[in-house]
Amino acid sequence: MKITLISVTDDITAFGLRSISSYLKKAGHSVRMIFLPQPFYKGQLSAKYPDNIIDEAVNLSKDSDLIGISLMTNHFERAVQITQNLKKHFDIPVIWGGIHPTVKPDESLEYADIVIIGEGEETLQDLTSKIDELHKVKGIYFKDTSGKIVKNEMRPLICDLDTIPPPDYDIEDHFVIEGNKIYNMNVPLFRKYLARTYKPDTYYTMATRGCIMNCSYCCNNFYSRYYSEQKKFRKRSTKHIIDELKAILKKFDFIKVIAYSDDSFFSISFDEMKDFCIEYKKNIGMPLQIPGVSYWNFSEEKLKLCLDAGLERIRLGIQTCSERTNREIYKRNVSNKKLLDIIKTIDKYKSLMEPPMYDLILDNPWETDDDIIETLTFLIEIPKPYHLSLHSLTFFPGTELYERAKKEKLIIDDLNDVYRKYYCDFKRNTYLNNLFLRFWLWNIPKPVEKLLINKTLISTGLYRVTNLMINFIRLIELFFKGLKSLFRGNLSSIYSYLLERINTYRITKSLYKTSRKTAKK
Ligand code: SF4
């Protein structure tokens, strides 16, 4: 069969879709992949594609027997746009897969012909041979001839990840947006897209799938309930992982860093970690980046193994240091003492790696100022330097927090309040959120930091004065940065900064208008 797989996410690593492609190719199908990354920020709330891009994607797909589109919630409108245009031109079955169709199958079937629930490799392969007997394919929902939604039996998670070949990087069968056109992928283009990630020339992959935790805001919260009887966390064998890396390095000799984007890489056992690290050091020996570190899977012994293998950066999910929020809202049973112990352990090895990255979630409507101050107080106590990855709490469908937010009418309109919300766009204009940035980016003496979060300062409204002072210093800082760029002739950085400010202003204004309109309704 000829199959076209379309990725509408902003990240061309698209691990899931590439795995499906490899799986289908192994079964003898011909697969073409089209990557349509389009940054979600930069003033584009819905970030739809220009007409000519849609026309080109439609044209490229015209000889397909099946078209698969993988999407997350934020890319819903793009998937709708492409699907509607594909349907306008031909009658090829369009299948949606990914986390959004999995948690919102009924809504997805308003546009797609078939929806894959859960992991797609086995389901799509099964579907290719039973396209006229859809009721026999486990793990799909579809509409029958009367328009009624048929919900087939669920397909279990794939237990043995080694049955899936490594992700498809046969770039000759791949296409990607570049400027205002879609081009055949080539090495310079591929490299250019990789450079958009944290570090240029980094190869991103995954060694595991799933997570045993079920934090109330995370997609694993849905999976833990949906697959309640199954083992959620699964790992590829070391040989499978190393073979993938060897093949990739042979193909793309410019790769200099290997990064894992697993949900919980550190959940593998000590012995598995040891095995991986020994083989990695022996066969790959490149700088290594690992996120997926959490309070419940961290151990100093595993960290030491990774450092010996070349670990250059670690990323720890903290989310909040309000023990109440962690316990009562996020379902994360962790004390600040435990978090502090982990951070101090990481700090012991700071000379061997880059400053660690800590994930935090802001804009939680159920957090009080006291909760936020608890997190800021924690930041004052931990060793610097560190990087913060700050997110705005987003109520993704399928999670417990989505249901709670719906019930409490915090979500009035899914499209505007959730799908179009960019989870990195936290509110920058609140005093306490501003302090997260300042504590991270400025070297403020501890006593001053403590003063800035003084409760009297906040309750009496005096914080407005300090906020003004902070913003004034920020303005001066920006002025000198701009001046420096001007003297260096680096006009592009000034232009990018101004563009970003204008776009942020546009987004905020548009969100404000939308929420006012919705509130009026
Ligand atoms: S530990 Fe991380 S990946 Fe696991 S459920 Fe919580 S947020 Fe999700």
Side-chain angles (χ1 to χ4, degrees):
M1 250 190 187
K2 275 192 176 168
I3 300 165
T4 297
L5 298 178
I6 302 177
S7 166
V8 290
T9 65
D10 300 322
D11 176 7
I12 66 149
T13 55
F15 189 87
L17 205 62
R18 286 182 190 271
S19 289
I20 292 175
S21 177
S22 298
Y23 198 82
L24 293 171
K25 279 184 174 175
K26 190 178 148 198
H29 299 290
S30 149
V31 186
R32 171 195 297 123
M33 296 190 79
I34 306 176
F35 297 92
L36 302 176
Q38 174 151 280
F40 191 68
Y41 48 92
K42 305 217 164 152
Q44 301 171 61
L45 278 176
S46 58
K48 285 192 183 172
Y49 298 108
D51 289 346
N52 65 306
I53 293 290
I54 290 291
D55 291 346
E56 286 186 40
V58 167
N59 195 36
L60 274 170
S61 315
K62 68 178 178 222
D63 60 348
S64 315
D65 299 306
L66 282 182
I67 299 170
I69 301 178
S70 164
L71 63 140
M72 295 193 288
T73 297
N74 286 150
H75 308 113
F76 172 76
E77 285 180 288
R78 297 181 195 176
V80 170
Q81 187 194 12
I82 292 189
T83 306
Q84 286 176 333
N85 278 280
L86 287 167
K87 289 277 149 206
K88 230 190 270 172
H89 290 84
F90 13 79
D91 194 24
I92 304 167
V94 176
I95 301 150
W96 279 18
I99 181 66
H100 188 80
T102 295
V103 298
K104 286 271 195 181
D106 292 14
E107 175 193 70
S108 301
L109 281 171
E110 287 172 28
Y111 309 95
D113 299 302
I114 302 165
V115 159
I116 291 180
I117 311 291
E119 292 173 333
E121 288 88 352
E122 292 177 348
T123 308
L124 201 51
Q125 157 60 6
D126 197 14
L127 212 150
T128 55
S129 57
K130 296 177 187 152
I131 196 73
D132 297 321
E133 304 169 295
L134 290 181
H135 59 282
K136 290 189 180 167
V137 183
K138 278 187 191 170
I140 62 164
Y141 288 9
F142 62 98
K143 277 188 180 165
D144 66 14
T145 43
S146 68
K148 194 175 144 258
I149 293 179
V150 180
K151 301 183 175 186
N152 283 4
E153 193 186 328
M154 113 200 261
R155 183 181 293 271
L157 291 168
I158 300 167
C159 298
D160 182 1
L161 296 185
D162 283 7
T163 56
I164 307 168
D168 175 6
Y169 278 93
D170 297 339
I171 56 173
E172 54 280 9
D173 304 326
H174 296 173
F175 296 82
V176 68
I177 288 187
E178 170 61 3
N180 215 13
K181 280 186 76 60
I182 295 180
Y183 290 91
N184 217 151
M185 183 75 92
N186 54 38
V187 173
L189 259 181
F190 177 55
R191 200 169 175 183
K192 188 175 160 187
Y193 271 96
L194 284 188
R196 289 183 178 184
T197 50
Y198 162 69
K199 221 173 197 179
D201 299 339
T202 300
Y203 174 68
Y204 284 82
T205 185
M206 288 175 82
T208 65
R209 284 189 186 184
C211 176
I212 59 160
M213 301 298 280
N214 67 341
C215 306
S216 57
Y217 51 83
C218 174
C219 64
N220 287 303
N221 179 264
F222 168 82
Y223 289 130
S224 71
R225 286 179 283 156
Y226 189 72
Y227 297 109
S228 58
E229 305 293 312
Q230 280 189 261
K231 189 178 162 207
K232 260 78 64 191
F233 180 72
R234 294 141 298 142
K235 177 195 169 286
R236 295 163 60 197
S237 70
T238 297
K239 183 178 176 332
H240 201 256
I241 299 168
I242 299 296
D243 284 351
E244 171 202 351
L245 297 181
K246 279 185 187 167
I248 282 294
L249 296 179
K250 203 168 156 198
K251 196 176 238 179
F252 306 116
D253 58 3
F254 61 86
I255 298 284
K256 293 191 185 69
V257 181
I258 304 295
Y260 282 90
S261 35
D262 305 38
D263 283 347
S264 66
F265 187 97
F266 251 58
S267 298
I268 60 177
S269 68
F270 175 81
D271 288 341
E272 287 167 336
M273 187 70 95
K274 190 173 171 188
D275 188 39
F276 165 76
C277 288
I278 289 172
E279 292 303 314
Y280 182 88
K281 190 177 174 184
K282 192 164 79 188
N283 294 288
I284 311 299
M286 280 186 179
L288 179 65
Q289 294 184 9
I290 298 183
V293 183
S294 210
Y295 64 90
W296 51 274
N297 62 18
F298 176 83
S299 86
E300 184 170 359
E301 289 67 36
K302 287 188 207 170
L303 175 65
K304 282 202 275 192
L305 290 173
C306 292
L307 284 167
D308 185 51
L311 181 73
E312 65 166 19
R313 190 177 216 213
I314 198 165
R315 183 167 175 169
L316 174 73
I318 294 181
Q319 319 311 355
T320 176
C321 301
S322 152
E323 292 189 343
R324 183 193 76 85
T325 307
N326 262 327
R327 199 180 47 248
E328 293 175 16
I329 304 175
Y330 293 158
K331 294 178 84 173
R332 289 166 68 88
N333 194 12
V334 59
S335 66
N336 284 349
K337 185 187 170 310
K338 170 98 182 162
L339 285 173
L340 193 60
D341 285 348
I342 294 173
I343 288 172
K344 282 184 176 164
T345 307
I346 293 174
D347 190 59
K348 271 176 28 190
Y349 302 94
K350 65 179 172 203
S351 62
L352 301 176
M353 57 180 164
E354 294 175 8
M357 167 84 87
Y358 303 133
D359 285 301
L360 284 176
I361 300 175
L362 308 181
D363 301 342
N364 178 338
W366 298 291
E367 273 198 325
T368 62
D369 280 357
D370 284 351
D371 291 318
I372 304 171
I373 289 169
E374 203 179 334
T375 305
L376 286 163
T377 309
F378 185 86
L379 289 184
I380 296 174
E381 296 311 319
I382 63 174
K384 284 188 176 180
Y386 53 74
H387 291 291
L388 291 184
S389 179
L390 300 169
H391 300 99
S392 179
L393 180 63
T394 305
F395 305 122
F396 286 111
T399 63
E400 283 173 57
L401 285 195
Y402 171 83
E403 282 150 29
R404 178 174 173 184
K406 273 282 213 198
K407 213 183 280 169
E408 296 180 18
K409 305 239 176 310
L410 291 170
I411 302 171
I412 295 162
D413 161 13
D414 277 20
L415 189 64
N416 281 311
D417 298 338
V418 183
Y419 301 6
R420 287 179 177 171
K421 179 178 172 185
Y422 183 44
Y423 56 86
C424 289
D425 235 344
F426 62 92
K427 290 179 196 142
R428 280 152 212 266
N429 53 357
T430 74
Y431 176 64
L432 293 177
N433 277 6
N434 197 5
L435 289 186
F436 281 96
L437 285 170
R438 299 306 126 218
F439 284 15
W440 162 32
L441 298 169
W442 287 356
N443 233 337
I444 307 174
K446 265 189 192 187
V448 179
E449 285 184 332
K450 282 183 182 160
L451 191 72
L452 291 172
I453 54 166
N454 181 287
K455 287 186 185 167
T456 321
L457 185 91
I458 290 162
S459 62
T460 55
L462 268 175
Y463 73 89
R464 289 194 185 90
V465 180
T466 42
N467 201 27
L468 214 66
M469 283 160 63
I470 289 173
N471 287 336
F472 182 66
I473 298 170
R474 174 94 184 104
L475 214 66
I476 295 174
E477 187 191 36
L478 281 174
F479 174 74
F480 280 107
K481 258 193 189 166
L483 218 57
K484 216 162 132 189
S485 300
L486 204 64
F487 280 129
R488 284 188 182 155
N490 190 359
L491 294 178
S492 66
S493 74
I494 300 177
Y495 173 74
S496 314
Y497 172 77
L498 288 174
L499 198 71
E500 196 198 313
R501 298 324 301 163
I502 292 167
N503 284 327
T504 309
Y505 170 73
R506 270 200 219 137
I507 291 178
T508 318
K509 208 172 135 198
S510 170
L511 274 175
Y512 176 70
K513 266 192 195 162
T514 314
S515 60
R516 274 180 55 106
K517 253 192 233 160
T518 325
K520 268 186 199 165
K521 273 185 212 161

